[in-house]
C-alpha cells in the first residue's frame, strides 16, 4: 500500500530508548544537546511578538507565491543591514528552511538525481531528500587544524546525475565557514558540470569573527539558492518563517525564478499572521543574538578551562554556530559512549548522528544552560579520567 520511499526503519535506536527511560525515571538530565532556543532561558519581547501577530491585516487573504511584499521587505532590510543587496523578486518566503530545500530539490532534480552533501553535517537532509526522491551523495569535509572541503573527493563523486552541491555556511555541527578559495573552486566545479549551489546560511549570524562573514547571496558565478530563516536568526522556530533567495547568471536565474514561482504558487504555504509580524520577528534578533552569543562564549570558555585540566579529550576548532565537536578516546563506539554517559545523567550526541566517518567524536551544544554545561562537562570529562 505504501511508497517505497517511506520504508524507513522507524524503530527507536538504543540511545533514544535509553533517553526515554532516563526521562521516565524523573532523574535530572544534563542535556548537552539542547537545540530548541525557546527552551534555553532566553528572553524574548513576548508582548511585541503577540501584538504583531494580532492585526486586522491578517483578516484578508492576499495570496502571493513569493510571500507578502511587506514581509519580504523585512528580509531585504535584514540583509541590507549586513551590507547585502537582494531584489524583492529574487526572494521566496517558505515555512522553514526544510521547505526551502524541498523547493530547490523539486526545481532541480528528477527522481533519482543526485545532490552532493557535506559530511559530517546536519542529519535532517536524508529525509528531506528521500521524500523528494533525490539521492544524496556525501562529500567529505576533512579536519586539519580546521575544517575544509576535500575537493579531490568532491570531484570524484560528481556523476551525470548530479544536479547540485549543498554548502552549509557555517556548517552544523563543525561550525566552519566556506573560505574564499573554496567558494571559487565550488563555482568552478558547478560551471564545469552545470550544477547549482544550495547554500544553507541558517547560522550565518553566529560567527565568532569580527568581520561580517561572506554570504552566498553575493555569489554570481553559479546558479545559487541561499536559504535561511527565523529558527536560528531570531530563535523563533515555532513561527515557521524562512526563505530561499536566488542569484547567479542572468538566464538561469530568470528560468529558476519562473519555475519556482509555480512550485510556490502550488502550495502558497505562508500564513498571514506570521508574515504580518515578520518585521517584529526579525527585530527580535538583536536581543536574541546578544544573549545567545554571550551564552556560547561563556560555555566555550568553560569548556576550554575544563579541557586545559585534562589530556584525554580535545575540542576541534570552531568559527561559529551553536555546537562544539569534542575528540574523545575511541575505546568504544560513540553510541556506547553516549549510552554510558546517559547512565550518569549526561546526554550528548554521538558523532555518527552527524555522519562523522570515524569513532571518537561527540557533539555538545553551546546553548545549554550555563549551570548544566559546567556540571555536564565535569561529569563527561571525569568519565575519561577513571
Ligand atoms: C544547518 C541547518 N539547516 C536547516 C535547519 C532547519 O531549519 P528550519 O527550522 O528553518 O527548517 C537546521 C536546524 O537545526 C540546521 O541545523
Amino acid at each position: 500500500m505504501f511508497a517505497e520511499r517511506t520504508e524507513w526503519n522507524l524503530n527507536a535506536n538504543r540511545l533514544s530508548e535509553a533517553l526515554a527511560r532516563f526521562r521516565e525515571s524523573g532523574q535530572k538530565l544534563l542535556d548537552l544537546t539542547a537545540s530548541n532556543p525557546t527552551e534555553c532561558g532566553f528572553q524574548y519581547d513576548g508582548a511585541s511578538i503577540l501584538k504583531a501577530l494580532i492585526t486586522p491585516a491578517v483578516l484578508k487573504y492576499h495570496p502571493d507565491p513569493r510571500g507578502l511584499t511587506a514581509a519580504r521587505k523585512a528580509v531585504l532590510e535584514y540583509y541590507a543591514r549586513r551590507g547585502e543587496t537582494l531584489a524583492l523578486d529574487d526572494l521566496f518566503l517558505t515555512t522553514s528552511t526544510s521547505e526551502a530545500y524541498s523547493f530547490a530539490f523539486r526545481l532541480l532534480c528528477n527522481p533519482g538525481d543526485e545532490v552532493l552533501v557535506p559530511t559530517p553535517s546536519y542529519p535532517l537532509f536524508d529525509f528531506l531528500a528521500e521524500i523528494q526522491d533525490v539521492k544524496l551523495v556525501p562529500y567529505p569535509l576533512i579536519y586539519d587544524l580546521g575544517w575544509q572541503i576535500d575537493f579531490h573527493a568532491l570531484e570524484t563523486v560528481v556523476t551525470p546525475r548530479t544536479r547540485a552541491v549543498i554548502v552549509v555556511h557555517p556548517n552544523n555541527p563543525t561550525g566552519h565557514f566556506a573560505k574564499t578559495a573554496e567558494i571559487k573552486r565550488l563555482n568552478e566545479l558547478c560551471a564545469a558540470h552545470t550544477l547549482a549551489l544550495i547554500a544553507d546560511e541558517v547560522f550565518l549570524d553566529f560567527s565568532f569573527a569580527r568581520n561580517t562573514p561572506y554570504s552566498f547571496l553575493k555569489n554570481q558565478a553559479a546558479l545559487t539558492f541561499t536559504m535561511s530563516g527565523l529558527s536560528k536568526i531570531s530563535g523563533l522556530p515555532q513561527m515557521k518563517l524562512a526563505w530561499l533567495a536566488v542569484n547567479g547568471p542572468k538566464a538561469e536565474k530568470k528560468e529558476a525564478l519562473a519555475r519556482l514561482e509555480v512550485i510556490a504558487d502550488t502550495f502558497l504555504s505562508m500564513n498571514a499572521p506570521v508574515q504580518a509580524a515578520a518585521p517584529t520577528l526579525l527585530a527580535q534578533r538583536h536581543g536574541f543574538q546578544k544573549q545567545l552569543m554571550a551564552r556560547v562564549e561563556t560555555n566555550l570558555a568553560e569548556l576550554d578551562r575544563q579541557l586545559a585540566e585534562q589530556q584525554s579529550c580535545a575540542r576541534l576548532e570552531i568559527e561559529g554556530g551553536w555546537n562544539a565537536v569534542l575528540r574523545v578516546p575511541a575505546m568504544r563506539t560513540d553510541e556506547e559512549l553516549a549510552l554510558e554517559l546517559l547512565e550518569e545523567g549526561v546526554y550528548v550526541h554521538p558523532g555518527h548522528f552527524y555522519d562523522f566517518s570515524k569513532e571518537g567524536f561527540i557533539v555538545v551544544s553551546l546553548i545549554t544552560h550555563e549551570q548544566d554545561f559546567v556540571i555536564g562537562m565535569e561529569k563527561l570529562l571525569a568519565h575519561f579520567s577513571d
Side-chain angles (χ1 to χ4, degrees), residues 35 94-101 121-125 128 168-173 200-203 227-232 236-238 240-243 322-323 354:
S35 65
T94 58
T95 54
S96 62
T97 323
S98 309
E99 189 178 58
Y101 272 111
S121 202
Y122 174 60
L124 184 71
F125 292 135
L128 271 174
V168 186
H169 182 71
N171 189 36
N172 179 14
D200 178 335
E201 295 191 339
V202 296
F203 289 108
M227 43 189 77
S228 189
L230 293 192
S231 292
K232 308 292 186 272
L236 294 169
Q238 75 278 31
K240 310 308 286 179
L241 176 55
W243 55 84
W322 296 5
N323 287 315
Y354 296 92

Side-chain angles (χ1 to χ4, degrees), residues 43 93 102 224 267 288 333 350 372:
Q43 299 302 311
L93 301 184
S102 81
T224 306
F267 292 100
F288 170 70
T333 68
D372 285 2

Side-chain angles (χ1 to χ4, degrees), residues 132-147:
Q132 323 290 327
D133 298 334
V134 168
K135 184 174 170 212
L136 287 186
V137 177
Y139 71 87
L141 303 170
I142 41 178
Y143 187 80
D144 182 14
L145 298 176
W147 290 95

Side-chain angles (χ1 to χ4, degrees), residues 318-338:
I318 34 175
E319 298 164 351
W322 296 5
N323 287 315
V325 180
L326 303 184
R327 205 197 292 270
V328 297
M331 317 281 280
R332 67 295 260 167
T333 68
D334 294 345
E335 187 184 34
E336 280 159 4
L337 171 62

Side-chain angles (χ1 to χ4, degrees), residues 296-327:
V296 165
E297 277 162 27
T298 304
N299 285 339
L300 202 51
E302 174 63 20
L303 175 60
D304 288 345
R305 188 191 67 72
Q306 292 195 27
L307 287 172
E309 289 173 357
Q310 54 81 63
Q311 286 176 345
S312 315
C313 305
R315 163 170 86 73
L316 304 194
E317 283 299 315
I318 34 175
E319 298 164 351
W322 296 5
N323 287 315
V325 180
L326 303 184
R327 205 197 292 270

Side-chain angles (χ1 to χ4, degrees), residues 142-216:
I142 41 178
Y143 187 80
D144 182 14
L145 298 176
W147 290 95
Q148 50 190 287
I149 297 173
D150 181 343
F151 274 96
H152 175 68
L154 174 56
E155 275 154 25
T156 60
V157 294
V158 177
T159 74
R161 299 218 65 172
T162 311
R163 292 285 168 268
V165 186
I166 295 179
V167 187
V168 186
H169 182 71
N171 189 36
N172 179 14
T174 60
H176 82 286
F177 289 85
K179 306 296 177 299
T180 311
E182 292 181 310
I183 295 165
K184 187 166 171 282
R185 284 189 76 173
L186 282 169
N187 279 323
E188 287 165 1
L189 181 92
C190 289
H193 300 279
T194 324
L195 310 179
L197 261 178
I198 299 177
D200 178 335
E201 295 191 339
V202 296
F203 289 108
L204 190 68
D205 286 349
F206 304 95
S207 162
F208 305 152
R210 284 221 186 106
N211 301 342
T212 308
Y214 173 89
S215 165
F216 277 84

